[in-house]
C-alpha cells in the first residue's frame, strides 16, 4: 500500500459497519478478520471492495488451516490420542502432571475423557498441540494442594522460564521478567471443552502485601498463562479459582516501569478466547492481556461470585482487563458480573498504556465500576507530553452498544467505598461511548454498602476528546456528587442524545471543573425527567474556550 503525505498510526474502528464512512488507515473487524482502509471510505462501500479495503490480519484463514490440518491428521492416520490408553486416568487422586507433560511434549491431538485429573505441576503446552475434553464441565483439571501459588496451572511451555515472575529485587530496579526472556514462540494451539480449577482455596496463598514490600514475589500464577505465543484458540474452557489471573495473555518479556514509549519484546498475537467462563480469581482479573496485539475475546462470561459475600473484593478484582501495552483488542458479546470493575483498559505508572481497544455489545452487571480507562500518572510526564502526546494516554477506546446493569458499591472496598462509577477516566484520549443502556436498581447482596453515590462519569488527569452519544438510563439516581464530573486538566467533551430519569443530588447534574486552557464542551439533546434538590443542569468552575448547551 502506498501512503502519500505524512504517515500516522492506524486507528481502531471496531466492528465494520456498511452504513459508516471511514478515514484513511482505519482498522476494522469483520467476521474474525481485520481490514484496513486504503483511503477515505464513503458510507455504503462493501468490505470486499479492494479499492478501499485491504486484508490486515487473515487470522480466520490461519485458524482454518490449522483445524483442517488437524482434521486430515485424524482422518488419514487416526492419530488422536485418548489419554486413558497411556495410563492417564481421572478420579484416582493421583498426581498426573508428569505423565501428562511427557505425553503431550511433542505436540499432537489429545482427548481427555470426563472426570477429575489432579495436577501438582504446571501443564506445559508446546506448539502444534490440541487438547480436547469431553465438555467444559465434565473434564476437569484440578490443582493439588501441594502446588505453590506462584505456579501456573496451564501455560505455554516457555512460560516456565519466568514462573509467574519469581523474583528480582524490585527496589534495586531489577524489574522481574525484564531479563528473563522466553526463548521461543509457542504457536498453533487449540484448547477446547474442559475446566481448569486453580483451587486457590486449598493451596498456600502467601500474604500479597508483605511479599510485595519485601520484594519476594511480584505475582502469583495464572490458571492459563499464554506467553510469547501466536495462533492460539481457547474455546469453551472454564477457568476458575485462579491464584491470580484466570486467563492471562502476555509478551515474552516485561514492560512494567520501562516507560510510556517502551515496546515489550516478543508480543503474543492472533489469540482468540471464545465461549469461555471464568470465576473466583483470588484477587486480580478474570481475563487479561499485556503487551500483545490482534486479540479477540468473544462470548465469554467472567464472574467473581466471592464478591457477593465480600470474600475478596478489591480494586484489582476486575472482569476483563486490557492492560499494559495491549494493542488492537476486541472484546465483544461478553458479560462481566460481580467483579469490582466490569471492563478495563489501562497502563501502570511509567508503563505503555493499552490503545486501540473496542468493547462491543458487552454487559457489566453488579459491578462497582462498569468501565474504567486509565493511564496512571508518571513522575516524568510534562504538561505538553500529557496534552499533546497520545502515547502518554490510554488512547482510542470504543464502547459500542453496551449495557451496565445494577451497579453498586462494595461494602469492603475501602478505596472506593460509596462511589459507583459507570465510567472512570484518567489520562485518556479519543474515548467514544456510542449506544449505552444503564439499568440502575440497587441489588440485595450481602456486600452492598449503605452509601451509594452513583456517577455516570468521572474524568481526572488530562482527558481529551471524550464523546458520549445515545445513552439511556433507567432508574432514579441519588447521589451527593454530580452525575458527570469533568475534572483535572481535561478538555473536549461532547454529550449528545443523553436521556435519564430522576436525579436527586445537592450538586448539579454536570460539573465541569477543568483547568485546561484548551478545548470545548458541547451538550446537545440532554433529557432528564426530573432534577431534585439542586435544579442546575451544569456548573462551570474551570476555564473552557467553547461551551455550548
Amino acid at each position: 500500500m502506498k501512503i502519500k503525505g505524512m504517515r500516522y498510526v492506524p486507528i481502531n474502528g471496531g466492528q465494520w459497519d456498511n452504513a459508516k464512512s471511514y478515514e484513511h488507515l482505519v482498522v476494522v473487524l469483520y467476521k474474525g478478520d481485520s481490514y484496513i482502509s486504503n483511503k477515505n471510505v464513503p458510507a455504503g462501500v462493501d468490505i470486499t471492495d479492494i479499492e478501499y479495503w485491504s486484508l490486515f490480519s487473515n487470522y480466520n484463514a490461519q485458524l482454518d488451516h490449522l483445524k483442517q490440518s488437524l482434521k486430515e491428521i485424524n482422518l488419514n492416520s487416526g492419530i488422536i490420542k485418548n489419554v486413558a490408553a497411556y495410563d492417564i486416568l481421572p478420579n484416582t487422586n493421583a498426581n498426573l502432571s508428569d505423565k501428562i507433560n511427557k505425553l503431550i511434549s511433542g505436540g499432537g491431538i489429545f482427548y481427555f475423557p470426563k472426570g477429575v485429573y489432579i495436577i501438582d505441576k504446571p501443564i506445559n503446552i508446546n506448539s502444534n498441540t490440541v487438547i480436547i475434553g469431553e465438555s467444559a464441565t465434565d473434564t476437569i483439571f484440578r490443582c493439588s494442594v501441594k502446588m505453590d501459588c506462584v505456579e501456573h496451572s496451564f501455560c505455554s511451555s516457555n512460560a516456565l522460564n519466568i514462573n509467574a515472575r519469581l523474583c528480582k529485587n524490585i527496589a534495586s530496579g531489577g524489574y522481574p521478567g525484564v531479563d528473563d526472556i522466553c526463548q521461543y514462540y509457542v504457536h498453533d494451539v487449540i484448547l477446547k471443552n474442559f475446566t481448569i480449577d486453580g483451587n486457590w482455596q486449598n493451596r498456600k496463598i502467601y500474604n500479597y502485601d508483605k511479599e510485595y514490600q519485601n520484594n519476594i514475589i511480584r505475582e502469583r500464577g495464572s490458571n492459563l498463562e499464554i506467553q510469547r505465543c501466536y495462533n492460539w484458540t481457547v474455546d469453551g474452557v472454564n477457568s476458575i479459582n485462579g491464584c491470580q489471573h484466570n486467563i492471562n495473555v502476555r509478551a515474552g518479556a516485561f514492560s512494567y516501569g520501562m516507560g510510556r514509549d517502551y515496546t515489550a519484546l516478543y508480543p503474543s498475537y492472533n489469540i482468540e478466547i471464545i465461549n469461555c467462563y471464568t470465576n473466583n480469581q483470588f484477587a486480580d482479573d478474570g481475563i487479561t492481556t499485556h503487551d500483545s496485539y490482534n486479540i479477540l475475546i468473544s462470548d465469554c462470561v467472567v464472574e467473581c461470585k466471592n464478591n457477593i459475600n465480600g470474600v475478596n473484593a478489591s480494586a484489582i478484582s476486575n472482569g476483563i482487563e486490557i492492560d499494559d501495552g495491549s494493542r488492537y483488542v476486541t472484546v465483544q458479546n461478553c458479560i462481566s458480573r460481580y467483579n469490582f470493575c466490569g471492563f478495563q483498559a489501562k497502563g501502570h505508572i511509567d508503563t505503555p498504556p493499552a490503545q486501540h481497544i473496542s468493547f462491543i455489545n458487552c454487559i457489566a452487571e453488579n459491578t462497582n465500576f462498569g468501565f474504567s480507562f486509565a493511564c496512571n500518572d508518571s513522575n516524568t510526564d510534562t504538561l505538553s507530553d500529557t496534552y499533546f502526546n497520545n502515547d502518554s494516554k490510554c488512547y482510542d477506546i470504543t464502547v459500542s452498544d453496551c449495557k451496565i446493569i445494577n451497579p453498586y458499591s462494595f461494602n469492603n472496598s475501602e478505596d472506593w467505598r460509596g462511589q459507583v462509577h459507570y465510567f472512570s477516566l484518567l489520562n485518556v484520549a479519543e474515548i467514544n461511548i456510542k449506544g449505552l443502556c444503564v439499568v440502575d436498581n440497587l441489588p440485595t447482596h450481602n456486600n452492598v454498602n449503605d452509601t451509594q453515590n452513583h456517577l455516570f462519569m468521572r474524568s481526572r488527569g488530562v482527558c481529551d476528546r471524550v464523546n458520549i452519544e445515545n445513552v439511556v438510563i433507567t432508574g432514579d439516581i441519588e447521589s451527593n456528587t454530580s452525575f458527570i464530573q469533568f475534572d483535572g486538566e481535561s478538555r473536549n467533551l461532547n454529550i449528545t442524545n443523553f436521556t435519564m430519569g430522576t436525579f436527586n443530588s445537592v450538586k448539579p447534574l454536570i460539573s465541569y471543573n477543568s483547568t485546561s486552557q484548551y478545548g470545548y464542551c458541547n451538550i446537545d439533546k440532554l433529557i432528564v425527567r426530573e432534577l431534585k434538590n439542586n435544579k442546575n443542569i451544569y456548573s462551570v468552575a474551570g476555564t473552557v474556550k467553547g461551551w455550548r448547551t
Side-chain angles (χ1 to χ4, degrees):
M1 179 177 61
K2 294 181 179 179
I3 300 174
K4 296 182 179 180
M6 184 175 62
R7 294 181 63 89
Y8 62 100
V9 176
I11 61 175
N12 187 354
Q15 289 284 344
W16 173 70
D17 186 344
N18 183 257
K20 292 183 179 179
S21 60
Y22 294 92
E23 299 176 1
H24 185 203
L25 291 182
V26 174
V27 178
V28 298
L29 187 69
Y30 178 66
K31 294 185 176 179
D33 288 329
S34 59
Y35 296 79
I36 189 168
S37 54
N38 302 324
K39 56 184 180 181
N40 291 340
V41 182
V45 174
D46 194 79
I47 196 74
T48 59
D49 191 329
I50 61 175
E51 178 184 351
Y52 292 93
W53 294 104
S54 295
L55 189 62
F56 189 64
S57 174
N58 194 7
Y59 179 52
N60 278 334
Q62 296 169 344
L63 182 60
D64 289 344
H65 175 73
L66 173 62
K67 290 178 178 177
Q68 183 61 33
S69 298
L70 295 172
K71 182 178 179 181
E72 290 173 358
I73 291 172
N74 182 28
L75 292 176
N76 295 337
S77 60
I79 301 177
I80 182 166
K81 296 179 180 178
N82 186 327
V83 299
Y86 298 84
D87 196 32
I88 299 174
L89 303 175
N91 307 322
T92 62
N93 292 323
N95 289 314
L96 299 171
S97 295
D98 289 341
K99 287 184 177 180
I100 294 172
N101 284 329
K102 181 179 179 180
L103 177 63
I104 69 175
S105 61
I109 310 172
F110 305 93
Y111 169 69
F112 286 76
K114 67 180 180 180
V116 178
Y117 298 80
I118 303 298
I119 58 175
D120 60 341
K121 298 175 184 175
I123 300 302
N124 311 326
I125 311 299
N126 290 286
S127 295
N128 302 306
T129 297
V130 178
I131 294 179
I132 305 172
E134 181 74 22
S135 74
T137 56
D138 288 332
T139 299
I140 301 170
F141 297 90
R142 178 167 294 141
C143 292
S144 165
V145 296
K146 296 179 180 180
M147 282 188 73
D148 195 299
C149 73
V150 301
E151 292 184 299
H152 306 305
S153 305
F154 271 57
C155 59
S156 51
S157 56
N158 53 15
L160 290 180
N161 297 345
I162 292 178
N163 195 20
R165 301 208 296 260
L166 275 171
C167 265
K168 307 211 166 176
N169 190 329
I170 297 174
S172 68
Y175 292 104
V178 172
D179 301 319
D180 292 324
I181 298 174
C182 294
Q183 299 300 310
Y184 54 90
Y185 269 99
V186 177
H187 57 85
D188 297 311
V189 170
I190 297 175
L191 307 179
K192 187 175 178 64
N193 295 346
F194 57 85
T195 289
I196 306 171
D197 181 359
N199 193 25
W200 68 258
Q201 297 89 339
N202 297 303
R203 290 163 66 182
K204 184 177 180 181
I205 298 293
Y206 302 106
N207 184 298
Y208 188 86
D209 293 331
K210 183 178 179 181
E211 294 162 9
Y212 196 90
Q213 293 168 4
N214 293 339
N215 306 314
I216 300 171
I217 296 174
R218 172 66 173 86
E219 288 192 352
R220 301 182 185 91
S222 299
N223 241 11
L224 174 57
E225 181 85 355
I226 301 170
Q227 187 165 268
R228 194 182 177 184
C229 297
Y230 66 87
N231 291 1
W232 276 55
T233 293
V234 183
D235 182 1
V237 171
N238 293 350
S239 182
I240 61 175
N241 303 321
C243 288
Q244 186 157 353
H245 305 299
N246 274 325
I247 299 177
N248 185 19
V249 180
R250 69 165 73 249
F254 208 39
S255 69
Y256 187 86
M258 301 298 289
R260 293 277 178 80
D261 58 351
Y262 181 79
T263 300
L265 297 173
Y266 313 123
S268 290
Y269 61 93
N270 290 358
I271 309 296
E272 186 180 49
I273 301 170
I274 58 175
N275 304 313
C276 291
Y277 173 77
T278 75
N279 189 24
N280 283 353
Q281 66 276 9
F282 177 70
D284 219 320
D285 309 317
I287 300 175
T288 186
T289 67
H290 302 77
D291 299 304
S292 301
Y293 66 93
N294 282 5
I295 299 171
L296 174 65
I297 303 171
S298 182
D299 298 279
C300 296
V301 176
V302 181
E303 297 183 330
C304 195
K305 291 182 178 179
N306 282 337
N307 286 341
I308 297 175
N309 297 313
V311 174
N312 62 333
S314 72
I316 59 171
S317 172
N318 299 318
I320 296 178
E321 181 176 293
I322 311 305
D323 211 341
D324 304 332
S326 297
R327 299 288 189 271
Y328 300 105
V329 180
T330 296
V331 182
Q332 65 182 22
N333 306 327
C334 292
I335 299 173
S336 177
R337 187 182 290 127
Y338 315 129
N339 296 286
F340 177 83
C341 181
F343 301 92
Q344 187 170 55
K346 82 172 203 304
H348 288 92
I349 295 174
D350 286 326
T351 302
Q355 297 183 345
H356 313 298
I357 314 298
S358 294
F359 298 94
I360 302 167
N361 194 32
C362 292
I363 298 174
E365 183 176 359
N366 289 176
T367 60
N368 208 138
F369 283 24
F371 294 81
S372 176
F373 309 137
C375 181
N376 288 325
D377 294 309
S378 168
N379 295 330
T380 61
D381 285 345
T382 65
L383 185 61
S384 60
D385 284 341
T386 311
Y387 266 134
F388 302 113
N389 181 8
N390 286 327
D391 287 339
S392 69
K393 300 192 226 8
C394 200
Y395 172 69
D396 185 25
I397 313 296
T398 299
V399 177
S400 178
D401 299 321
C402 292
K403 294 181 180 179
I404 298 174
I405 300 176
N406 300 342
Y408 69 102
S409 172
F410 292 172
N411 191 47
N412 63 328
S413 179
E414 294 293 339
D415 292 341
W416 298 98
R417 176 169 289 185
Q419 299 293 319
V420 177
H421 294 184
Y422 301 167
F423 288 89
S424 179
L425 309 179
L426 171 63
N427 296 330
V428 298
E430 293 287 357
I431 305 299
N432 288 289
I433 302 166
K434 297 183 177 181
L436 177 74
C437 177
V438 180
V439 179
D440 196 334
N441 297 310
L442 195 63
T444 57
H445 300 155
N446 297 332
N447 194 25
V448 176
N449 191 270
D450 292 336
T451 303
Q452 297 286 326
N453 293 313
H454 287 214
L455 290 76
F456 177 83
M457 181 187 75
R458 183 187 179 197
S459 68
R460 297 169 293 140
V462 177
C463 296
D464 189 8
R465 305 185 301 282
V466 177
N467 181 52
I468 302 168
E469 299 180 15
N470 303 324
V471 174
V472 176
I473 300 172
T474 65
D476 295 332
I477 309 299
E478 293 190 12
S479 181
N480 61 14
T481 64
S482 293
F483 197 46
I484 297 176
Q485 297 183 21
F486 211 59
D487 301 330
E489 295 282 336
S490 298
R491 60 179 181 166
N492 299 333
L493 169 66
N494 178 68
I495 302 173
T496 306
N497 294 328
F498 192 104
T499 303
M500 63 180 295
T502 299
F503 181 68
N504 185 354
S505 177
V506 296
K507 300 289 186 179
L509 182 72
I510 301 171
S511 174
Y512 194 100
N513 296 321
S514 174
T515 58
S516 170
Q517 301 296 315
Y518 310 92
Y520 62 84
C521 179
N522 176 66
I523 303 172
D524 188 24
K525 298 178 183 178
L526 172 66
I527 300 173
V528 185
R529 186 176 66 207
E530 183 181 6
L531 289 174
K532 291 184 177 181
N533 211 334
N534 191 314
K535 302 293 185 180
N536 293 315
I537 289 287
Y538 59 86
S539 68
V540 181
T543 56
V544 59
K545 281 190 174 182
W547 176 274
R548 188 175 75 85
T549 60

